[in-house]
Amino acid sequence: MEPLPLSVREELTEKLLAANEKRNLTISQIDAIIQDVLEEYNRVLVDPGEPVGTVAAQSIGEPGTQMTLSTFHYAGVAEINVTLGLPRIIEIVDMRRKPSTPVMTVFLEEGYKTDREKALRVARLIEGTTVENIARSVVMDVINMNLVVTLDEYKLDDQKISIDDIIKKLKKVKNVEMTQDGFSIILNPGDVSLMKLRKFAMRVRNTQLKGIKKIKRALIRKEDGEYVIYTEGSKLTDVFKLEGVDTTRTTTNDVREIHKVLGIEAARNAIIKEIKETLDEQGLDVEVRHIMLLADLMTVDGEPKPIGRHGISGEKSSILARAAFEVTTRHLLEAGKQGMVDSLNGVTENVIIGQPIPVGTGTVELVMKSREVT
Amino acid sequence: MSLKVIKEIKFGILSPDAIRKMSVVKIVTADTYDDEGYPIEKGLVDPRLGVIDPGLKCRTCGMRFGECPGHFGHIELARPVIHMGYAKEIYKVLKGVCHNCYRVLLDNDEIKKYSKRLKEAKVRDVEKQKVLKIIAKQSARRRRYTKNNICPHCGAELPRIRFEKPTTYMENTEKLSPSDIRARLEKISNEDAELLGFDPEVARPEWLILTALPVAPVTVRPSITLESGARSEDDMTHKLVDIIRINQRLRENIDAGAPQLIVEDLWELLQYHVTTYFDNEVSGVPPARHRSGRVLKTLAQRLKGKEGRFRNNLSGKRVDFSARTVISPDPNVSINEVGVPTPVAMELTIPERVTYKTRDELRNLVLRGPSQHPGANYIIRPDGRRKRIPANDEELRKTLAEELDVGYVVERHLRNGDVVLFNRQPSLHRLSIMAHEVRVMPYRTFRLNLCVCPPYNADFDGDEMNLHVPQTEEAQAEALILMRVQEQIISPRYGEPVIGGVQDYVSGAYILTRDGTEFTKREVEEMLCMAGLDVDIPQDKNLWTGKEIFSLLLPPDLNVEYKNKICRRCTTCREKDCPYDGYVVIKDGKLLKGAIDGMAYKARSECKLLDKLVKDYGTDTGRKFLDSITRLILWVLGMKGITVDMNDVELDQDAKDRIEEVLLDGENKVDRLIDAYHNGELEPLPGQSLEETLEKKIMQVLAAARDRAGQIAEEYLGMERFSVIMAKTGAKGNMLDLTQMAACLGQMSVRGERLHRGYNNRSLSHFKENELSARARGFVRSSYNKGLSPTEFFFHSMGGREGLVDTAVRTAQSGYMQRRLMNAMQDLKVEYDRTVRDNTGLVIQFMYGEDGVDPARSDYGKAVDIDWIIHKHMEAV
Amino acid sequence: MKKIDPTHHELVPEHVVLEEEEVEDLLQIYNITRDKLPLIKAADPVVKAIGARPGQVVKIIRRGSPAGEAVTYRLIIK
Ligand SMILES: [Mg+2]
Ligand SMILES: [Zn+2]
Ligand SMILES: [Zn+2]
Ligand SMILES: [Zn+2]
């Protein structure tokens, strides 16, 4: 018999104590209960040979038809858009480089998390601001071959940035002649081609003034008695470096980033969490065990692998199975050149050649020699 | 039955010698049939290539049509040509080897290093591919150097090599002919070939250049005879004709010593035809066409894609012993059964062995023959010969029946109790194929119990389903034990019932069990008879409540308490004293309080009662419960009736006035918001533009107005209306649907925004440009009952259209995702030590789901229902 | 500058390096060879944090989820 898992042991102890409190249990009663729980646990175990992969794939895939498609929806924070529903699930199993809507949930440390002012200050440090964000316009003066940056005084005030700061930052980009005129800065890169001027304008526009690159917004919100920062855009490493940020709880919805910063096990947990939350949000019930299996499969090689041609399916050991999935001819040609061997131990291969599949009752290899009928 | 098993398949490339060796005929003429219609010798349909005409025998193997697998022929090419599938590969090899000494362009240390890595990597195929990629890159790098671009072995200067798609290779400015390339590849040593990724045993590099072309057997490219008597050849044959013609002309020209230019042109043309013979969709090559202009389907096209050999014929096959017809509902068949129409039952057969026990019965079936229902179609003699039982020769039937003895097999008609597999597409999960017991019935449709509709996702608006008959005892046993409907009541997806009450069974259960429903003894007797319940009832009891009747279906020691669907979620639940039948108490198998509704046994939802019955009392109890309750309720509905009419959503004047007031108020608020926006008094929300803020606020106001209107309507919609019963018990629809019928539809939206597109700056020409008011942007204030105004109707259709488009897109997307998930995960299975491994033995999980629990057996994901076990033991005292 | 320790993050379960004998036992219990173990990269931040080397096996103790506590193993590769 398999021993009980921790969660069952804990629950059993707790409930036995409670029952004993109500009505005194005899030792033999307790023994009988434990025996029953053990038996029940062993009854509900999976059968060897069970095609759990197939069941998991079906359980995650089947509700796909019931999911919404509208990409943008409003989650916890009304101001930040998050991809939800089917597109989000597809994005996770595809392991795209970047999710279409990266979002971080930044928790704060003791001393920061209940102080609105301090929380706001951290948020401002996170939110990235470029010249483009703060300028009313960035115009190329083609006649004088100048670049005119006109700043928005309200935004300057809001973000607490001075013009001097901006000039200092711009000097770092390229040390060119700059003249300030009210809220305008005129940059003269000297004698350059139009192409170069255009490129220069691009660089000026994208000059980071403060905060973290590619983080467009950072909003604070009070949740369970503490301030939490939600961001549009994700850069875990940079946020972790900030004073006041709780590096034990802060997360992102970008699984690849989690893998890079926190390792493969964290990535696995993140995949489970993201898929589960997406399904829950849609009101769809799927056992975690199925999602766990998917996540374990995706992370088995030490880095998150996508499901599909460029990942797990493309790396299958069976040539026939790969050929049956996608890009049929290429797999066959390559197999010919390399003299590959298909050892026929998967499902698709055996379906193709018309033999019993090696899962479920097909796991058992039992041959009975029948007596000759004479 | 043979026990031969294919253990593995090794892939390789055919060498010219192998092609010649396996060829039964060298094809030289491009013609197919002569004037009399006989195949021409050494032509493309040479009789040695196999038979495609019934009645003829194969000239090579002597077997008949259908038995002979066909035999390859070959064409000797006048000049070598590139195999286009390997065009890129050839380029890689050319870049990686020296043109002078034919060694791979790596120095000796590198060679040593990479050979070692290659040998180590062979265990994990992915690793090997990685190493090969590195070698390909490293061996080509010297060529790109501006200085020192010399061969590390012989010191020759390395020219640049360019590849022009599809099949041209340039060395500096000189074109390399396939002959040149072949000569070069021939000289590569086996060791170097291995570094370049070849398995020289089965694939020498020079074999990538074709000198002989295999001609596929006629059996894979059969010609068809049209009605007019003319023969129409397969696309492949057409292509081969082209190849032979050009090949011949090329050879003639070479032999005649024609100018180089002409020879080269013909050579190019031969290359084109061979290329399109392999793949007619190569980029940069115009596809070969039929005379009619249709693009030809050649080798690669036969294999690729959804309709290709792999996905259409190998991963999924057509089968015998199957039937398909329309389905219709029948509450009188068990959930375990399927009604099979007699004509189907007479067509589908099960081979049954003749034993001493079954002999007489089977003789009788043979006697009855194929045209009476319990009959038989074939007998199989001990020597394996099949004999059809004649339909109209009674004498012969008698002789056959006499002949029947132990060792014979009879293919008898399907009959009651046989196990069959029943399926409805799209087969998205394993519950889409379940094992049912046959019940042969008149008429022409499959009949199924309504409780099994949810797992199949079936309805009866013309749905068709498939039926398969397992032919061996082993298969039947497996189907019965593992796939039987009652074993699938709990879904493996979430551990909740997927088979259970639907629609009227849910509302009917409420009508049966709510307070105040009473039946006379006579009615009760009739009803129990209908339900097929064989129970003794006290004879002195004249009036029965619905709750008492329902209790007869429950096991005598069942104890459950829960809040049901109609519970009004009062702030403090009065539990047992709930005045609205909202709290269910079942004690010792007696329904004491509360009404049975969706919360008890509705499919695809959390159901407290059915779930408990199945998990604690077994699947048999679950099946019996569903079988009898559905029939019982059918009777109740027959007596009490459920119907819906317009009055269900009719409100009195008082309610209508209140709703009107709420909606008017909402619209006024919207107008004030718009005014504020125009006057610049609106404060933007953080991080949003003024327009976004306005839209959001308007949406909020209107949503609140609609909700309020709905609430008012709900107050007036009481349980005496059948539609309300349906919504509240969870049978069908919800209160939102009803309030949309009674009170107000609310805001229509496309992509989550109010409607604003259509005309320039307005949604419809009925409104002013840039008008922002509620009614101009898709707020429908009417109810379905009242009827929609023309503009409202149009807006409503806009919202509806988005829904339709969404569904179509979603089906395609989720189907593809499902296929990918399936493909990636299908080889994972639980081993005897409860680890999960893939087909290479790689451990994915050390314990399935970390605790080894099967979700289909779990208690909503929990391993053990400890409360229940403790409860049982405490009660036992 | 703040030092980031990934092992303290709530998404990261406990990683422990196995002794060579323990690895042998593990392989024996499951009747497998090393190459059938799930993998973890030597460059994985957690592996770096606990100072493990390629070729070693880490034991991972996952908490939470239905089982309460579960153990899994990964082989460290380059
Ligand atoms: Mg239908
Ligand atoms: Zn033949
Ligand atoms: Zn050389
Ligand atoms: Zn209540």
Side-chain angles (χ1 to χ4, degrees):
Chain A
M1 270 208 216
E2 296 279 347
L4 292 175
L6 182 71
S7 57
V8 179
R9 284 202 311 270
E10 280 174 355
E11 193 190 336
L12 183 59
T13 328
E14 191 186 305
K15 289 198 166 147
L16 276 176
L17 285 174
N20 197 38
E21 198 83 349
K22 264 204 283 186
R23 236 191 293 170
N24 271 327
L25 295 167
T26 62
I27 297 286
S28 64
Q29 259 181 324
I30 293 174
D31 277 348
I33 290 173
I34 293 173
Q35 192 56 34
D36 269 14
V37 171
L38 252 172
E39 265 166 33
E40 177 66 6
Y41 173 65
N42 276 273
R43 191 187 65 79
V44 300
L45 289 177
V46 256
D47 296 322
E50 184 83 0
V52 283
T54 302
V55 176
Q58 290 175 347
S59 300
I60 300 166
E62 188 249 354
T65 41
Q66 298 159 46
M67 273 185 252
T68 51
L69 209 63
S70 47
T71 311
F72 290 101
H73 231 273
Y74 300 99
V77 194
E79 290 82 11
I80 291 176
N81 278 332
V82 192
T83 312
L84 290 171
L86 189 60
R88 177 65 186 145
I89 302 268
I90 291 179
E91 191 173 278
I92 298 167
V93 299
D94 273 354
M95 267 294 91
R96 287 244 303 263
R97 292 278 140 207
K98 270 271 163 204
S100 53
T101 52
V103 170
M104 275 189 295
T105 313
V106 183
F107 290 93
L108 299 172
E109 281 180 331
E110 221 53 67
Y112 285 80
K113 63 183 183 189
T114 45
D115 186 333
R116 193 185 151 83
E117 268 314 302
K118 279 187 180 168
L120 259 178
R121 219 175 301 150
V122 177
R124 220 172 270 142
L125 282 174
I126 293 172
E127 192 168 74
T129 310
T130 57
V131 171
E132 192 174 22
N133 294 144
I134 214 155
R136 200 168 280 162
S137 66
V138 179
V139 181
M140 281 192 296
D141 179 352
V142 193
I143 299 162
N144 300 317
M145 286 309 239
N146 278 343
L147 203 63
V148 184
V149 179
T150 315
L151 299 163
D152 186 320
E153 49 178 308
Y154 297 107
K155 284 183 183 160
L156 280 179
D157 187 49
D158 186 45
Q159 299 277 355
K160 304 209 165 23
I161 304 173
S162 72
I163 296 184
D164 288 341
D165 284 346
I166 295 172
I167 291 175
K168 228 181 264 166
K169 280 268 158 63
L170 284 175
K171 280 245 153 83
K172 270 189 202 150
V173 176
K174 199 170 185 193
N175 202 355
V176 296
E177 190 193 319
M178 288 182 205
T179 40
Q180 189 193 335
D181 175 17
F183 281 101
S184 292
I185 304 169
I186 299 155
L187 295 94
N188 185 2
D191 192 20
V192 290
S193 67
L194 193 62
M195 267 281 273
K196 282 248 173 81
L197 185 69
R198 217 170 260 154
K199 261 191 195 150
F200 182 60
M202 190 75 112
R203 282 178 62 197
V204 166
R205 271 196 198 108
N206 293 331
T207 304
Q208 192 79 15
L209 294 174
K210 64 167 204 50
I212 298 165
K213 241 185 205 169
K214 300 239 162 100
I215 297 201
K216 277 178 242 131
R217 244 186 291 181
L219 297 165
I220 68 163
R221 197 158 175 264
K222 194 156 190 176
E223 255 170 31
D224 302 325
E226 64 173 308
Y227 287 100
V228 182
I229 303 168
Y230 288 88
T231 67
E232 214 177 298
S234 176
K235 198 90 199 354
L236 217 48
T237 16
D238 291 358
V239 171
F240 272 6
K241 285 180 195 147
L242 295 177
E243 217 51 58
V245 170
D246 184 347
T247 56
T248 67
R249 292 187 296 155
T250 298
T251 60
T252 164
N253 67 352
D254 183 347
V255 176
R256 277 188 184 279
E257 200 175 344
I258 290 193
H259 170 237
K260 217 176 72 202
V261 182
L262 298 170
I264 192 69
E265 279 290 316
R268 169 200 178 262
N269 288 332
I271 292 171
I272 298 172
K273 195 180 122 223
E274 290 293 324
I275 294 182
K276 186 81 188 136
E277 280 174 4
T278 309
L279 289 169
D280 284 349
E281 191 271 338
Q282 298 281 310
L284 295 166
D285 243 335
V286 177
E287 253 289 328
V288 240
R289 289 178 182 84
H290 301 311
I291 304 167
M292 278 160 60
L293 185 62
L294 176 65
D296 278 322
L297 177 66
M298 286 172 74
T299 57
V300 77
D301 269 0
E303 63 185 336
K305 259 191 310 184
I307 298 284
R309 191 178 351 165
H310 303 290
I312 290 154
S313 299
E315 291 174 5
K316 284 198 148 206
S317 60
S318 165
I319 298 123
L320 292 178
R322 274 184 275 137
F325 182 56
E326 267 164 21
V327 281
T328 308
T329 42
R330 227 205 29 229
H331 284 299
L332 294 177
L333 292 166
E334 192 64 39
K337 177 201 151 194
Q338 294 190 24
M340 288 182 187
V341 173
D342 194 322
S343 42
L344 305 173
N345 44 24
V347 174
T348 322
E349 307 90 281
N350 281 291
V351 170
I352 286 174
I353 58 167
Q355 288 184 164
I357 55 168
V359 293
T361 46
T363 315
V364 187
E365 280 176 36
L366 181 68
V367 178
M368 196 177 76
K369 207 170 188 178
S370 65
R371 242 185 312 148
E372 290 292 319
V373 184
T374 41
Chain B
M1 212 207 297
S2 98
L3 284 174
K4 271 186 193 152
V5 173
I6 306 175
K7 243 190 90 197
E8 55 180 41
I9 296 174
K10 178 148 173 109
F11 287 74
I13 300 175
L14 288 175
S15 70
D17 285 342
I19 292 170
R20 286 179 197 117
K21 214 179 262 170
M22 74 177 187
S23 161
V24 292
V25 54
K26 183 175 152 191
I27 312 287
V28 290
T29 59
D31 302 315
T32 50
Y33 295 94
D34 62 19
D35 297 338
E36 273 99 74
Y38 288 109
I40 293 171
E41 296 254 332
K42 295 191 173 180
L44 274 171
V45 289
D46 187 289
R48 280 165 288 188
L49 294 175
V51 274
I52 45 170
D53 299 293
L56 292 181
K57 272 191 178 172
C58 171
R59 279 261 298 273
T60 303
C61 67
M63 286 199 281
R64 269 189 293 268
F65 170 72
E67 294 166 340
C68 162
H71 313 278
F72 276 91
H74 82 285
I75 298 170
E76 285 294 341
L77 296 172
R79 283 280 162 91
V81 291
I82 310 275
H83 185 310
M84 80 43 51
Y86 288 116
K88 230 176 167 178
E89 211 55 60
I90 294 168
Y91 175 52
K92 269 193 224 158
V93 176
L94 287 177
K95 273 196 304 184
V97 295
C98 172
H99 61 292
N100 185 41
C101 68
Y102 312 109
R103 293 296 313 275
V104 66
L105 292 173
L106 295 170
D107 61 39
N108 287 328
D109 289 345
E110 286 173 323
I111 290 179
K112 221 185 253 164
K113 185 174 94 189
Y114 289 127
S115 323
K116 194 168 151 254
R117 276 183 70 180
L118 213 51
K119 260 190 204 101
E120 283 166 359
K122 269 187 178 157
V123 198
R124 255 192 186 174
D125 192 56
V126 186
E127 276 310 301
K128 188 183 167 189
Q129 302 308 323
K130 271 185 202 154
V131 179
L132 287 180
K133 240 182 213 158
I134 298 170
I135 295 174
K137 207 176 143 201
Q138 289 299 316
S139 58
R141 74 174 198 279
R142 284 193 168 77
R143 222 172 261 289
R144 282 184 284 110
Y145 291 169
T146 35
K147 260 188 284 173
N148 265 338
N149 51 340
I150 50 163
C151 167
H153 301 285
C154 69
E157 192 181 322
L158 300 168
R160 293 259 166 140
I161 291 190
R162 239 176 49 239
F163 172 44
E164 279 165 23
K165 277 182 180 170
T167 46
T168 315
Y169 302 88
M170 307 288 288
E171 193 166 77
N172 286 338
T173 52
E174 221 165 294
K175 194 186 155 203
L176 290 172
S177 76
S179 311
D180 304 336
I181 298 169
R182 190 163 205 281
R184 199 176 284 186
L185 301 184
E186 270 170 7
K187 305 238 171 59
I188 298 172
S189 71
N190 277 353
E191 291 74 35
D192 284 0
E194 245 172 274
L195 281 170
L196 293 164
F198 289 87
D199 177 357
E201 291 286 311
V202 294
R204 280 284 315 166
E206 68 268 22
W207 299 346
L208 306 186
I209 316 277
L210 302 159
T211 55
L213 185 73
V215 173
V218 284
T219 41
V220 302
R221 45 182 178 92
S223 60
I224 40 169
T225 316
L226 299 174
E227 264 172 61
S228 58
R231 276 184 182 267
S232 173
E233 292 299 332
D234 189 274
D235 282 3
M236 292 263 284
T237 312
H238 283 302
K239 208 58 238 174
L240 284 165
V241 169
D242 292 339
I243 292 173
I244 293 172
R245 288 229 173 95
I246 299 303
N247 195 38
Q248 235 160 19
R249 262 173 61 200
L250 178 59
R251 177 165 293 131
E252 283 161 14
N253 275 287
I254 294 167
D255 291 347
Q260 189 65 16
L261 218 63
I262 291 176
V263 170
E264 249 165 46
D265 273 358
L266 283 168
W267 196 353
E268 278 289 312
L269 202 55
L270 182 65
Q271 176 72 60
Y272 166 78
H273 284 306
V274 174
T275 298
T276 49
Y277 172 67
F278 282 113
D279 187 349
N280 206 9
E281 283 170 1
V282 185
S283 59
V285 179
R289 284 168 195 276
H290 191 253
R291 273 193 304 268
S292 62
R294 178 177 59 87
V295 174
L296 292 175
K297 249 184 117 178
T298 53
L299 264 175
Q301 280 68 51
R302 285 180 165 219
L303 305 176
K304 269 184 199 164
K306 208 171 179 177
E307 257 93 65
R309 198 87 328 131
F310 275 93
R311 277 175 73 184
N312 212 25
N313 304 105
L314 293 168
S315 308
K317 305 169 205 270
R318 303 202 164 250
V319 292
D320 284 335
F321 305 105
S322 59
R324 179 182 173 95
T325 182
V326 175
I327 51 166
S328 46
D330 188 342
N332 291 313
V333 304
S334 159
I335 58 165
N336 268 348
E337 291 178 317
V338 56
V340 179
T342 327
V344 170
M346 284 161 59
E347 195 64 45
L348 298 174
T349 57
I350 285 186
E352 190 154 341
R353 242 162 259 282
V354 181
T355 64
Y356 293 111
K357 271 188 179 166
T358 58
R359 185 169 53 192
D360 289 345
E361 191 196 336
L362 289 172
R363 270 187 184 156
N364 189 30
L365 291 180
V366 172
L367 221 49
R368 291 172 64 91
S371 50
Q372 289 180 64
H373 174 253
N377 292 356
Y378 285 91
I379 64 168
I380 301 168
R381 298 200 167 101
D383 61 3
R385 278 187 13 249
R386 271 157 61 95
K387 175 88 185 139
R388 179 156 190 110
I389 302 167
N392 34 28
D393 186 345
E394 214 187 322
E395 280 310 305
L396 186 51
R397 287 211 298 271
K398 266 187 191 152
T399 351
L400 287 176
E402 283 302 311
E403 188 193 333
L404 218 59
D405 209 339
V406 177
Y408 277 64
V409 172
V410 174
E411 294 197 335
R412 49 148 257 251
H413 289 165
L414 219 53
R415 64 180 177 203
N416 287 358
D418 285 335
V419 187
V420 292
L421 302 182
F422 204 36
N423 157 249
R424 181 182 176 275
Q425 286 119 341
S427 312
L428 291 176
H429 54 183
R430 72 175 187 198
L431 308 177
S432 295
I433 305 179
M434 292 190 282
H436 291 245
E437 278 157 39
V438 168
R439 205 134 124 215
V440 181
M441 293 179 148
Y443 312 118
R444 328 211 62 166
T445 57
F446 288 136
R447 251 56 59 81
L448 77 152
N449 189 296
L450 289 117
C451 293
V452 276
C453 286
Y456 289 122
N457 200 7
D459 49 34
F460 304 100
D461 56 5
D463 289 22
E464 291 181 41
M465 284 180 72
N466 316 307
L467 184 128
H468 300 267
V469 186
Q471 294 289 298
T472 66
E473 288 86 354
E474 193 189 4
Q476 287 161 20
E478 260 186 43
L480 196 67
I481 294 167
L482 298 171
M483 303 173 74
R484 200 178 191 195
V485 176
Q486 71 177 52
E487 307 302 326
Q488 323 293 332
I489 294 177
I490 308 291
S491 159
R493 184 177 120 198
Y494 42 65
E496 274 171 16
V498 256
I499 294 169
V502 286
Q503 304 198 2
D504 278 0
Y505 291 139
V506 174
S507 39
Y510 169 76
I511 287 173
L512 170 68
T513 57
R514 68 176 164 188
D515 283 341
T517 312
E518 283 179 338
F519 299 93
T520 63
K521 199 176 100 195
R522 216 195 109 72
E523 282 174 327
V524 173
E525 280 166 348
E526 202 177 302
M527 183 167 179
L528 293 179
C529 177
M530 266 291 288
L533 275 183
D534 190 14
V535 285
D536 288 326
I537 56 166
Q539 288 301 307
D540 52 346
K541 191 173 166 74
N542 282 319
L543 215 55
W544 289 65
T545 66
K547 287 194 172 69
E548 283 167 333
I549 297 163
F550 182 82
S551 302
L552 294 173
L553 302 173
L554 302 174
D557 58 341
L558 180 73
N559 290 289
V560 215
E561 277 185 29
Y562 63 87
K563 286 183 196 169
N564 64 15
K565 281 253 159 91
I566 52 171
C567 164
R568 304 200 174 173
R569 316 267 165 251
C570 328
T571 30
T572 46
C573 188
R574 284 155 73 191
E575 302 205 330
K576 283 171 193 152
D577 304 315
C578 178
Y580 317 111
D581 261 341
Y583 192 83
V584 176
V585 180
I586 296 174
K587 202 164 167 29
D588 295 329
K590 295 267 178 293
L591 175 61
L592 301 178
K593 280 275 155 201
I596 296 301
D597 63 5
M599 203 49 129
Y601 77 119
K602 187 192 165 194
R604 279 181 178 278
S605 71
E606 182 192 7
C607 32
K608 307 277 188 189
L609 186 59
L610 180 60
D611 191 73
K612 199 154 182 62
L613 285 175
V614 175
K615 283 175 187 160
D616 293 340
Y617 294 87
T619 51
D620 259 333
T621 315
R623 191 227 29 218
K624 279 184 201 143
F625 173 76
L626 283 176
D627 282 347
S628 22
I629 185 124
T630 45
R631 281 193 255 172
L632 188 76
I633 287 171
L634 203 68
W635 187 89
V636 174
L637 290 175
M639 296 303 287
K640 305 271 170 188
I642 281 193
T643 186
V644 175
D645 62 19
M646 290 287 280
N647 288 324
D648 275 13
V649 290
E650 188 62 60
L651 300 174
D652 56 27
Q653 199 51 49
D654 177 40
K656 282 183 186 164
D657 290 344
R658 283 176 65 195
I659 289 167
E660 183 60 33
E661 201 179 304
V662 168
L663 293 178
L664 205 65
D665 183 47
E667 280 168 347
N668 287 339
K669 273 190 195 150
V670 170
D671 289 340
R672 279 203 293 281
L673 277 171
I674 295 169
D675 285 344
Y677 166 71
H678 285 309
N679 301 336
E681 291 158 8
L682 200 68
E683 278 293 313
L685 293 169
Q688 284 187 323
S689 74
L690 218 53
E691 286 74 19
E692 285 169 344
T693 309
L694 177 70
E695 279 300 309
K696 188 162 277 172
K697 288 210 161 144
I698 292 177
M699 296 268 276
Q700 275 168 5
V701 167
L702 290 175
R706 203 226 78 89
D707 286 349
R708 184 74 202 112
Q711 278 165 17
I712 294 167
E714 251 188 274
E715 285 169 27
Y716 291 83
L717 298 171
M719 278 304 236
E720 66 285 347
R721 307 182 189 222
F722 283 118
S723 335
V724 178
I725 290 181
M726 288 184 200
K728 292 240 161 118
T729 55
K732 190 80 197 181
N734 52 42
M735 284 316 281
L736 181 79
D737 296 335
L738 281 181
T739 57
Q740 284 197 327
M741 293 185 222
C744 158
L745 248 68
Q747 179 67 49
M748 300 294 112
S749 69
V750 168
R751 296 200 176 179
E753 287 169 357
R754 296 205 298 158
L755 308 175
H756 55 94
R757 283 186 297 192
Y759 291 77
N760 286 336
N761 303 320
R762 51 183 165 170
S763 53
L764 274 178
S765 52
H766 303 62
F767 307 104
K768 295 202 185 78
E769 274 191 40
N770 296 315
E771 192 176 332
L772 291 168
S773 70
R775 47 185 279 280
R777 287 290 167 95
F779 184 75
V780 179
R781 58 137 58 207
S782 309
S783 65
Y784 285 121
N785 188 24
K786 184 184 162 204
L788 274 58
S789 76
T791 53
E792 284 177 338
F793 184 80
F794 190 83
F795 290 142
H796 182 58
S797 315
M798 285 175 77
R801 171 64 63 83
E802 190 194 26
L804 292 181
V805 173
D806 241 45
T807 315
V809 177
R810 189 168 51 217
T811 326
Q813 282 207 2
S814 84
Y816 181 49
M817 184 183 79
Q818 171 104 341
R819 204 172 98 74
R820 282 184 342 194
L821 282 172
M822 208 52 199
N823 195 279
M825 303 184 80
Q826 63 187 354
D827 292 326
L828 309 187
K829 69 167 180 230
V830 176
E831 299 289 338
Y832 281 93
D833 57 7
R834 298 224 156 75
T835 55
V836 178
R837 305 191 193 186
D838 74 359
N839 55 343
T840 61
L842 187 68
V843 178
I844 309 295
Q845 288 183 332
F846 281 90
M847 180 76 158
Y848 171 67
E850 296 188 349
D851 58 4
V853 172
D854 184 348
R857 295 175 185 161
S858 71
D859 187 48
Y860 296 96
K862 263 177 64 182
V864 186
D865 187 354
I866 295 173
D867 288 323
W868 169 244
I869 292 175
I870 292 182
H871 177 85
K872 258 197 316 200
H873 281 271
M874 305 261 282
E875 290 294 305
V877 183
Chain C
M1 184 112 126
K2 252 165 75 175
K3 218 173 123 16
I4 301 159
D5 187 351
T7 57
H8 292 151
H9 198 278
E10 59 180 13
L11 278 177
V12 182
E14 189 183 343
H15 292 55
V16 186
V17 180
L18 281 192
E19 297 295 326
E20 200 43 42
E21 305 93 78
E22 291 176 303
V23 177
E24 289 308 318
D25 286 349
L26 171 76
L27 298 180
Q28 213 183 343
I29 288 170
Y30 291 103
N31 189 24
I32 45 172
T33 47
R34 265 169 202 268
D35 63 321
K36 300 300 179 199
L37 288 171
L39 306 177
I40 189 166
K41 296 262 152 105
D44 195 279
V46 182
V47 172
K48 281 204 239 163
I50 62 170
R53 290 181 315 277
Q56 290 183 315
V57 174
V58 282
K59 173 178 169 181
I60 294 149
I61 302 146
R62 297 171 177 163
R63 301 219 159 78
S65 79
E69 185 181 293
V71 178
T72 188
Y73 305 88
R74 285 182 189 269
L75 173 72
I76 306 175
I77 53 152
K78 270 184 279 186

